[in-house]
Amino acid sequence: MAKALRTKDKIIIAAEKLFSEHGFEQTSLRQITSEAEVNLASVNYHFGSKKALIQAVMARYQSVFMPALAEQLHQLQNSGAAQVRTEDVLACVMPPLIALRQVRADGPVIYLRLLGYAYSEIQGHLRKFTMANYGEIMHEFFQMIQQANPSVCPNTLFWRLHFSLGAMLFAQTSGQALREIAAADFGEETQAEESLLKLLPFVAAGISAAELEA
C-alpha cells in the first residue's frame, strides 16, 4: 500500500503543479489549498508565507541541479583544456537538467517553466534565495563564461546570458510544438534533450559574438 503523503509534501506538490501551469502571481493560496485538500492554516504553519512556499518549490529542483552543476564545472576546470570554450561551459548545464528527472519525470521542463515565471513575474525574492544558497556556484559559472570570452565586457555577458536563458526557456516551453513541426516538415524525430543540444551552438555563438561599436 502506498504511503500517504505528509501535509507539507501535499502542499508543495500542489503548489508546484499550479505554479508551473499558471505562474506564481496567478496562483492563489486558496487554489493551492483546494488542490492539496488542506486548509490555509496548514500552509501558514508549514511555510509562513506564499514567498516561502515558492522558495520551497524551487528548492526541490535547485537542491539537485546546483550541486550537479558545480560538479560539471569542476570537471571542466580540471579537464586540462588549454582554452575553455563558451559551448563547453554551457554544456555543463545539460547533465544537471537531466538529473532533475530524480524530482519527477518531467522535472527539466517543469524547472525551466518555473524559472521563466520567476523572471517574467519579477520574483526578486527567488534570486536572493538562490544567491544566498548557491551564490558561489553561480559566480563560478559566470567566471568561467568570462574566462571563455575575455574580450567581452562583464555587463555585455550579463545581458547575453539572460537572453540565452530566454532562448532555453522558449525551447523547453514550446519544445513539443517545435518537435511536431520538425517532424511534419522535415521528417525529423527529436527528443527534448536533443532540442537543447541543438540550441547550445546557437546560444554559444550569441554569447561570444564580437561587441558592436557604439
Side-chain angles (χ1 to χ4, degrees), residues 18-214:
L18 294 171
F19 288 152
S20 66
E21 291 175 354
H22 308 295
F24 301 117
E25 291 183 355
Q26 296 303 313
T27 300
S28 68
L29 288 179
R30 185 177 297 277
Q31 289 173 300
I32 293 170
T33 55
S34 176
E35 178 73 23
E37 298 181 340
V38 300
N39 56 42
L40 184 59
S42 297
V43 177
N44 292 329
Y45 173 77
H46 288 290
F47 301 99
S49 68
K50 184 178 177 181
K51 285 184 178 180
L53 176 55
I54 291 171
Q55 291 167 10
V57 168
M58 292 298 287
R60 286 218 315 154
Y61 291 91
Q62 290 182 336
S63 64
V64 175
F65 179 85
M66 290 297 183
L69 176 59
E71 176 60 25
Q72 290 295 314
L73 294 174
H74 179 74
Q75 290 181 18
L76 180 57
Q77 283 181 324
N78 292 279
S79 64
Q83 176 62 42
V84 175
R85 302 178 305 156
T86 302
E87 195 166 342
D88 297 330
V89 183
L90 296 178
C92 289
V93 173
M94 289 300 298
L97 274 177
I98 294 172
L100 293 178
R101 290 175 178 171
Q102 299 172 26
V103 181
R104 53 183 288 174
D106 56 350
V109 174
I110 297 299
Y111 181 56
L112 289 174
R113 282 182 186 168
L114 293 172
L115 274 182
Y117 284 123
Y119 278 94
S120 64
E121 297 178 0
I122 317 179
Q123 298 288 319
H125 67 97
L126 270 181
R127 184 179 188 280
K128 293 179 181 177
F129 175 80
T130 300
M131 296 306 292
N133 290 279
Y134 303 105
E136 186 175 338
I137 300 171
M138 298 300 292
H139 285 306
E140 183 178 2
F141 179 80
F142 189 71
Q143 285 173 355
M144 292 187 71
I145 289 289
Q146 287 183 304
Q147 180 183 341
N149 298 276
S151 63
V152 182
C153 66
N155 61 311
T156 296
L157 285 176
F158 164 83
W159 286 105
R160 291 180 179 182
L161 278 172
H162 284 83
F163 292 154
S164 300
L165 176 60
M168 185 175 288
L169 294 174
F170 170 78
Q172 272 298 327
T173 56
S174 304
Q176 183 62 38
L178 292 173
R179 292 192 293 275
E180 290 177 2
I181 294 170
D185 291 0
F186 306 105
E188 179 183 5
E189 297 297 332
T190 307
Q191 300 301 315
E193 288 77 15
E194 293 177 291
S195 63
L196 282 178
L197 288 173
K198 291 176 182 294
L199 179 63
L200 286 182
F202 170 82
V203 169
I207 291 174
S208 300
E211 293 194 72
L212 297 176
E213 294 184 5

